[in-house]
Amino acid sequence: MPAQLYFFVSIAFALVAWGIVATRYIWPKLRTLPRAEALRPILVLHSFRFVGLAFMVTGVVSPDLPRAFANPAAYGDIVAATLALISLATLQSRVGVVIAWIFNLWGSFDLLSAFYHGGTAGLMPGQLGAAYFIPTVLVPLMLITHALAFRILLQGQRESSHDRRDRQLDQSNDLLSLRGQ
């Protein structure tokens, strides 16, 4: 089997495995949380995208790694990590939600663009060296968590069960105080 096929099979298996993890363990928890709380772990995870800078380090990757792939992938990842951190810091405000949208759009585009650039630049999996794990393990996880973030952002603000309970208690207390008057 050629190296390219092993590479794509690895990516496909990672997408399936991370999809199962997300469906079974991550989404059931996130879907019950308010928007900011649900986005927070996704943004923290994406703050580690500085790892993409490994594409710029000869010795980690082959000196033959096409720059047409390495440069946009590395710099796109550092921009995504920065946007994730800024969004995380401002998440409680409307600006933070806007930045979360920008991060999610940019980050998704960056990952898909890296696949495109890898294909058009003639990237061979062996040129990735130790960074082979990035597109075969981390990128599928990042793509799936971007999909989760889009779902959270599109659903808008949710009340947590704790907030709902407090509101219901306040309404009950208001009714009791009206009856007592």
Side-chain angles (χ1 to χ4, degrees), residues 45 64 100-101 116-117 142 164:
L45 175 68
D64 298 330
W101 271 104
Y116 171 78
H117 282 81
M142 299 300 165
R164 261 192 309 276

Side-chain angles (χ1 to χ4, degrees), residues 156-174:
Q157 182 60 24
R158 285 185 296 288
E159 272 188 316
S160 72
S161 58
H162 194 50
D163 292 339
R164 261 192 309 276
R165 198 172 329 119
D166 287 349
R167 189 172 39 79
Q168 288 169 346
L169 282 173
D170 289 344
Q171 288 172 348
S172 296
N173 288 338
D174 288 347

Side-chain angles (χ1 to χ4, degrees), residues 14-46:
L15 276 167
V16 170
W18 284 122
I20 292 168
V21 169
T23 301
R24 185 145 174 96
Y25 301 104
I26 299 171
W27 181 245
K29 176 66 176 168
L30 295 183
R31 70 187 178 102
T32 65
L33 298 173
R35 180 176 50 210
E37 291 304 310
L39 287 171
R40 189 165 278 116
I42 293 171
L43 293 167
V44 169
L45 175 68
H46 284 266

Side-chain angles (χ1 to χ4, degrees), residues 11-12 28 53 85 93 98 104 113 121 123 125 131 135 158 163 177 179:
I11 293 169
L53 290 174
L85 288 169
S93 69
V98 170
N104 212 40
S113 175
L123 172 72
R158 285 185 296 288
D163 292 339
S177 66
R179 286 184 184 166

Side-chain angles (χ1 to χ4, degrees), residues 32-107:
T32 65
L33 298 173
R35 180 176 50 210
E37 291 304 310
L39 287 171
R40 189 165 278 116
I42 293 171
L43 293 167
V44 169
L45 175 68
H46 284 266
S47 72
F48 283 89
R49 284 181 64 174
F50 63 84
V51 172
L53 290 174
F55 294 131
M56 304 299 288
V57 181
T58 302
V60 173
V61 298
S62 167
D64 298 330
L65 183 68
R67 290 289 128 203
F69 163 77
N71 290 345
Y75 294 124
D77 276 348
I78 199 68
V79 169
T82 302
L83 287 169
L85 288 169
I86 293 169
S87 180
L88 195 57
T90 59
L91 200 52
Q92 294 302 101
S93 69
R94 286 182 191 256
V95 170
V97 174
V98 170
I99 296 170
W101 271 104
I102 294 168
F103 150 75
N104 212 40
L105 291 166
W106 173 268

Side-chain angles (χ1 to χ4, degrees), residues 1-11 125 132:
M1 201 183 310
Q4 288 292 95
L5 189 54
Y6 289 131
F7 182 65
F8 289 113
V9 167
S10 296
I11 293 169
Y132 182 84

